[in-house]
Amino acid sequence: MSVRVLVFYTLALRKWKNVIKDFDIHFLLSLKNYAPLLPFCTICVFCQKENLYTHIKSLPMKKYLLPIFLLLACQAKESSAPEPVLPIPSERQLAWHELEYYGFVHFNMNTFSDMEWGMGDEKPSQFDPSELDTRQWARIVKDAGMKGIIITAKHHDGFCLWPSAYTEHSVKNSPWRNGDGDLIQELREACDEFGLQMGIYYSPWDRNHADYGKPEYITYMRNQLTELLSNYGDIFEVWFDGANGGDGYYGGANETRRVDKKTYYDWENTFELVRELQPNAVIFGDAGPDVRWVGNENGYAYETTWSNLLRDSVYAGMPEYADMYASGQENGTHWVPAEADVSIRPGWYYHEYEDHKVKTLAQLLDIYYKSIGRNASLLINFPVDRRGLIHEKDEEQILKLAEKIKEDFRENLVLKAKVKASNERGSDFSAKKMIDENPETYWTSEDGKIQSQLTFEFDQATWINRFMIREYFPLGQRVRKFSLEGDAGDGWKLIAEGTTIGAKRILRFDDVEVKRVRFNILDAKAEPLIMEVGIFDAPKLVTEPVIKRKKSGEITLEVPEEGVDIFYTIDDTTPDGTSLRYEEALVLDAPLILQVLAMDQSSERKSEVLRFQIEISKAEWLVLHENQDAEKAIDENPDTFWQSDNDELIVDLGEELTLEGFTYLPPQNRYMRGIISRYSLTVSQDGKNWKEVSSGEFSNIKNNPVEQRVSFSPSKAKYIRLKAIQTVDREPAAFAELGVISK
Ligand code: FUL
Ligand code: CA
């Protein structure tokens, strides 16, 4: 073939490629094979030729057509979709992946018994919400941007939220709706009204049922699942909890009967039943089979998170699961993606004493980025309260998160960039497919080309701090190593690096100004497939500073994001951007009032102003107890405490002061023991002669274990002694922190 002919072919091919860009290439190819069989010319219906073949024969340039078709054919072969890399998701898993974010509701007997794991001996009469309103849940969940709700139909204590025909331990024997209520049905209606999906949590472990541990219980469980999965419409997820107190830690009604978690539930047949009744529902469990537990209850997935799992090595409730399997395996045999579950409060169930412990926006945002941003779905729990409502504080926080997520992803800057890939597998898989906002299209490279660079170039220097990337996972998860670089005009600099991508990976980094961004795929199991890329410039998170104090008296103020400034005053005026700027730890001449404010000067956003009463420092204080842990009662750390075996705490203040009151912080850990409810406070100038200056009760401290502030008439003291007259649980008195109010 002469060079001229070759050049001609190439040019002709280019032109043809443009013409047929939007044409189905397979259709054209089939024309080549079947043209003689067609009754008339399909391409040019007006040419009156008998068929395409006779048309081609009549063309003057016909001798070039065959080579062109051949070249096209080669081209077409090259741009056929790559082979899948197993394992790949099933249809039901694909549908589940689209949800990404949904709500959990823990509401059941524990709400009324004030427990996390009820014993199973509770009475149905205890279940009595006063204002239960599933529409309120659905409205909040919807406003939060979530796509569904999973409800604890039956928890470990065995109480059922629907009137099951197989037990008396259910709503039908409760005062709620005079025993005519069906909470699952009410939730179904609310979900339908708000366009949400509904999922069912069902605890296999049952502390109430007399047959638990025997084969009869398995029949009971299947009967109940049949009710739940037949009578309430489409269920998107069936959540089987792996917890089982039979591990020996917790006593309970039937704990004497140990079960073999691997075999007792006969999962194979139980799953088959679920499949039969709800073929589209995914089944959640430690070992899947469809969706797996992330291995912690903090809502975090791991930097490396594979959707692949060595599923046959895992069983629900296995002790080594979290360490060995939770992050998935590159060589995992089955597609079992991770779901991160976390409660918006410390407990899964509502406890009034956690009203002051609802997660902050900074914490929730962190959870969002570390779950959805790390190839997991996110399931945030609302401990619905005794009224039967999501608590106002929980609502406020979850809506703040929704607002912030919207803000962070408001504008996808990638749409303003020119995008290029180091290699493309034909026009069907061009780099543009990563920014066409179509989840069905993707960029990929030619066979064998694994290491790749994706470059995004802006017209002008642009500030960025988030990079989002998604693999086209229907053909398997592939990428095992990547890096992200930015160039402001003076060469490429590393911004971030990592391992897995999966369904979605979001990289969060400090603000950087760039003209170009380059995403390098350094290693993958096969040709990488990228469905979507996003680049964002999220506004800074401006929340009130967190204050911390050391025993030395030093005060530090912290905000979650760099670049946000803190301003403060100590003269009782309200701080603003012209006040003292916080730069290093403060040592202040207390007592005084410290007022603080966080501010992002670039956007002028401000936090609320916080006011702290700063008391004299504890630097010179001594606890008069032999026990070395006693120090924890005055170490200015709210998370440490000391439990005193004689119910009292004596402190030497180091100098004589005029006191006007004292403060007491009860323990703040999850299982607070020894909270003082009635006390006596005595003071002394010499450590020998004591005088009581205050006594009484800390009302509601059990339900609201916040710092207690008590005033008394001014008294001189070098020593103080706080003695418990009574503790909430009759345990020895515990002190997280003792403080004074001085003149
Ligand atoms: C755990 C249970 O023991 C907790 O009570 C809660 O339901 C949580 C979601 O799962 O395994
Ligand atoms: Ca402490």
Side-chain angles (χ1 to χ4, degrees):
M1 222 186 292
S2 76
V3 175
R4 266 175 56 209
V5 173
L6 205 84
V7 168
F8 174 77
Y9 281 158
T10 318
L11 289 176
L13 180 68
R14 279 221 189 139
K15 209 159 166 232
W16 268 73
K17 260 175 78 183
N18 278 340
V19 174
I20 60 163
K21 214 164 86 195
D22 300 320
F23 234 83
D24 182 32
I25 193 127
H26 300 288
F27 170 65
L28 265 184
L29 283 173
S30 61
L31 271 184
K32 189 189 76 173
N33 295 332
Y34 302 116
L37 305 176
L38 292 173
F40 58 86
C41 178
T42 346
I43 288 187
C44 43
V45 275
F46 306 109
C47 78
Q48 308 285 310
K49 292 280 186 271
E50 197 183 321
N51 62 32
L52 181 64
Y53 188 68
T54 47
H55 180 141
I56 290 170
K57 265 180 37 187
S58 70
L59 287 178
M61 307 249 281
K62 59 179 180 282
K63 68 173 173 186
Y64 299 119
L65 278 175
L66 186 63
I68 286 173
F69 267 127
L70 283 177
L71 271 172
L72 269 176
C74 298
Q75 189 72 15
K77 188 160 174 252
E78 209 172 53
S79 52
S80 66
E83 293 296 311
V85 172
L86 300 178
I88 56 168
S90 63
E91 282 298 314
R92 65 173 78 86
Q93 287 171 320
L94 285 173
W96 169 87
H97 271 288
E98 275 175 34
L99 302 179
E100 204 175 64
Y101 183 34
Y102 36 94
F104 217 169
V105 168
H106 272 66
F107 178 73
N108 203 308
M109 187 55 86
N110 290 328
T111 315
F112 300 91
S113 57
D114 212 5
M115 293 180 85
E116 282 288 308
W117 280 10
M119 299 304 253
D121 55 359
E122 298 79 13
K123 299 278 163 287
S125 57
Q126 288 171 257
F127 184 87
D128 193 14
S130 52
E131 299 168 44
L132 186 122
D133 182 7
T134 51
R135 296 184 68 252
Q136 186 246 17
W137 313 355
R139 174 183 57 76
I140 293 168
V141 162
K142 183 81 184 179
D143 288 350
M146 296 171 161
K147 305 281 172 55
I149 302 180
I150 300 181
I151 173 79
T152 49
K154 185 191 85 168
H155 204 250
H156 311 326
D157 59 67
F159 187 76
C160 301
L161 295 184
W162 78 104
S164 171
Y166 302 96
T167 179
E168 292 306 305
H169 200 51
S170 87
V171 284
K172 73 181 173 200
N173 291 318
S174 80
W176 176 64
R177 309 249 191 275
N178 295 318
D180 292 330
D182 182 344
L183 211 154
I184 306 300
Q185 181 57 28
E186 290 192 17
L187 183 59
R188 169 83 272 163
E189 286 162 22
C191 283
D192 288 348
E193 182 182 335
F194 287 85
L196 296 168
Q197 310 235 26
M198 184 167 91
I200 295 286
Y201 165 109
Y202 185 89
S203 169
W205 179 33
D206 191 317
R207 293 174 127 178
N208 173 269
H209 202 274
D211 288 336
Y212 183 77
K214 299 190 204 159
E216 289 85 338
Y217 173 78
I218 303 306
T219 310
Y220 171 74
M221 176 170 120
R222 292 202 183 135
N223 284 338
Q224 290 209 315
L225 286 171
T226 305
E227 290 180 318
L228 287 167
L229 304 180
S230 314
N231 301 337
Y232 301 98
D234 286 343
I235 300 300
F236 83 95
E237 178 164 334
V238 182
W239 216 95
F240 286 118
D241 197 323
N244 185 313
D247 292 339
Y249 294 120
Y250 306 88
N254 294 312
E255 245 80 315
T256 43
R257 235 176 264 140
R258 299 259 170 119
V259 303
D260 179 346
K261 284 186 255 179
K262 257 194 231 175
T263 54
Y264 178 55
Y265 302 105
D266 178 17
W267 283 122
E268 209 183 307
N269 288 306
T270 305
F271 292 161
E272 212 176 287
L273 176 71
V274 177
R275 294 283 193 240
E276 204 178 289
L277 300 171
Q278 294 281 342
N280 300 325
V282 289
I283 303 176
F284 168 97
D286 291 4
D290 301 319
V291 176
R292 72 171 193 266
W293 182 41
V294 81
N296 64 70
E297 294 187 352
N298 306 322
Y300 292 175
Y302 313 93
E303 289 272 357
T304 299
T305 299
W306 289 94
S307 290
N308 310 349
L309 181 71
L310 288 166
R311 193 173 78 182
D312 296 335
S313 312
V314 181
Y315 67 92
M318 80 193 288
E320 56 278 46
Y321 175 76
D323 290 338
M324 286 179 59
Y325 296 100
S327 67
Q329 294 80 44
E330 183 188 322
N331 62 344
T333 47
H334 294 79
W335 188 267
V336 191
E339 177 189 88
D341 59 326
V342 62
S343 187
I344 196 163
R345 294 165 175 241
W348 290 97
Y349 280 95
Y350 178 79
H351 311 288
E352 195 183 336
Y353 59 75
E354 289 178 352
D355 279 353
H356 68 301
K357 290 205 167 166
V358 181
K359 292 199 166 63
T360 62
L361 174 58
Q363 288 172 314
L364 291 172
L365 194 64
D366 210 42
I367 286 170
Y368 182 87
Y369 279 111
K370 288 181 175 160
S371 56
I372 292 180
R374 287 184 180 171
N375 190 27
S377 68
L378 174 57
L379 176 59
I380 295 191
N381 177 63
F382 300 101
V384 162
D385 65 20
R386 288 188 185 180
R387 294 170 302 174
L389 300 175
I390 293 179
H391 195 276
E392 291 75 0
K393 290 193 173 151
D394 304 24
E395 173 177 2
E396 193 184 326
Q397 291 309 100
I398 207 69
L399 295 184
K400 275 191 204 163
L401 175 65
E403 191 49 42
K404 182 71 182 119
I405 295 168
K406 262 194 222 140
E407 216 178 75
D408 282 11
F409 299 102
R410 184 150 287 153
E411 192 193 358
N412 190 352
L413 298 169
V414 96
L415 301 175
K416 291 186 176 167
K418 272 196 229 77
V419 42
K420 247 191 264 157
S422 52
N423 180 282
E424 283 177 359
R425 194 187 185 88
S427 56
D428 282 356
F429 306 98
S430 71
K432 289 210 183 77
K433 304 289 179 191
M434 294 184 289
I435 58 169
D436 64 359
E437 298 184 319
N438 178 354
E440 269 150 35
T441 59
Y442 54 92
W443 159 84
T444 187
S445 53
E446 295 167 296
D447 282 348
K449 293 253 189 310
I450 290 184
Q451 291 200 346
S452 315
Q453 286 93 46
L454 309 171
T455 314
F456 308 89
E457 186 165 347
F458 298 106
D459 287 344
Q460 60 197 58
T462 305
W463 284 98
I464 64 168
N465 56 22
R466 301 282 185 278
F467 186 88
M468 187 271 290
I469 184 158
R470 308 187 64 192
E471 277 186 80
Y472 183 75
F473 58 91
L475 293 181
Q477 189 179 344
R478 298 160 181 241
V479 176
R480 34 183 181 222
K481 196 168 178 211
F482 65 78
S483 70
L484 179 72
E485 298 171 296
D487 174 17
D490 54 352
W492 291 109
K493 295 198 180 76
L494 185 71
I495 296 177
E497 51 193 340
T499 51
T500 51
I501 299 177
K504 191 179 263 186
R505 185 74 201 255
I506 309 172
L507 304 169
R508 248 194 312 181
F509 43 89
D510 289 341
D511 297 342
V512 36
E513 197 178 24
V514 291
K515 271 220 69 178
R516 298 188 295 166
V517 181
R518 182 161 77 184
F519 188 82
N520 306 299
I521 294 168
L522 303 171
D523 193 10
K525 292 172 81 173
E527 301 76 46
L529 273 45
I530 303 298
M531 170 210 289
E532 218 183 319
V533 167
I535 300 178
F536 305 90
D537 181 26
K540 296 216 160 59
L541 175 63
V542 184
T543 56
E544 305 82 61
V546 173
I547 185 167
K548 285 191 182 139
R549 200 165 189 202
K550 286 196 186 142
K551 185 160 185 283
S552 67
E554 243 180 46
I555 293 167
T556 52
L557 299 169
E558 283 168 19
V559 281
E561 253 194 287
E562 256 183 61
V564 172
D565 295 314
I566 302 173
F567 297 95
Y568 68 95
T569 61
I570 48 172
D571 60 1
D572 237 344
T573 59
T574 308
D576 59 27
T578 64
S579 308
L580 295 164
R581 184 207 296 255
Y582 173 79
E583 259 143 22
E584 55 185 17
L586 305 173
V587 181
L588 302 170
D589 210 6
L592 54 80
I593 287 172
L594 171 68
Q595 296 191 66
V596 299
L597 158 94
M599 187 168 162
D600 170 18
Q601 286 185 301
S602 58
S603 68
E604 302 232 327
R605 270 165 204 257
K606 288 180 200 161
S607 74
E608 278 169 31
V609 173
L610 288 188
R611 247 177 101 88
F612 300 103
Q613 172 71 46
I614 305 292
E615 294 299 339
I616 54 149
S617 100
K618 298 179 183 173
E620 305 302 321
W621 291 21
L622 285 176
V623 283
L624 300 184
H625 300 270
E626 298 283 276
N627 194 307
Q628 53 173 358
D629 273 350
E631 268 279 316
K632 293 182 177 159
I634 55 165
D635 64 357
E636 293 280 19
N637 179 353
D639 297 324
T640 59
F641 63 91
W642 177 56
Q643 211 169 357
S644 158
D645 47 20
N646 68 350
D647 283 327
E648 64 177 32
L649 172 68
I650 308 175
V651 177
D652 176 350
L653 303 175
E655 61 179 323
E656 191 173 280
L657 297 166
T658 304
L659 302 186
E660 292 189 323
F662 76 99
T663 61
Y664 164 67
L665 181 74
Q668 298 292 303
N669 63 328
R670 187 148 169 195
Y671 302 102
M672 305 152 293
R673 299 209 172 89
I675 295 180
I676 302 175
S677 51
R678 291 184 52 227
Y679 71 91
S680 156
L681 189 95
T682 46
V683 299
S684 165
Q685 282 166 284
D686 56 9
K688 291 185 195 107
N689 302 301
W690 295 87
K691 172 175 97 180
E692 183 174 84
V693 287
S694 174
S695 69
E697 71 168 12
F698 299 128
S699 33
N700 199 29
I701 192 168
K702 176 170 186 250
N703 286 330
N704 193 18
V706 295
E707 184 184 77
Q708 311 287 310
R709 292 182 75 82
V710 179
S711 309
F712 47 75
S713 38
S715 309
K716 284 195 168 28
K718 183 170 181 281
Y719 301 89
I720 59 168
R721 170 168 58 195
L722 177 62
K723 184 166 179 60
I725 306 299
Q726 198 179 81
T727 60
V728 164
D729 52 4
R730 314 290 138 128
E731 288 262 349
F735 306 81
E737 213 60 34
L738 177 68
V740 296
I741 304 170
S742 61
K743 211 172 164 164

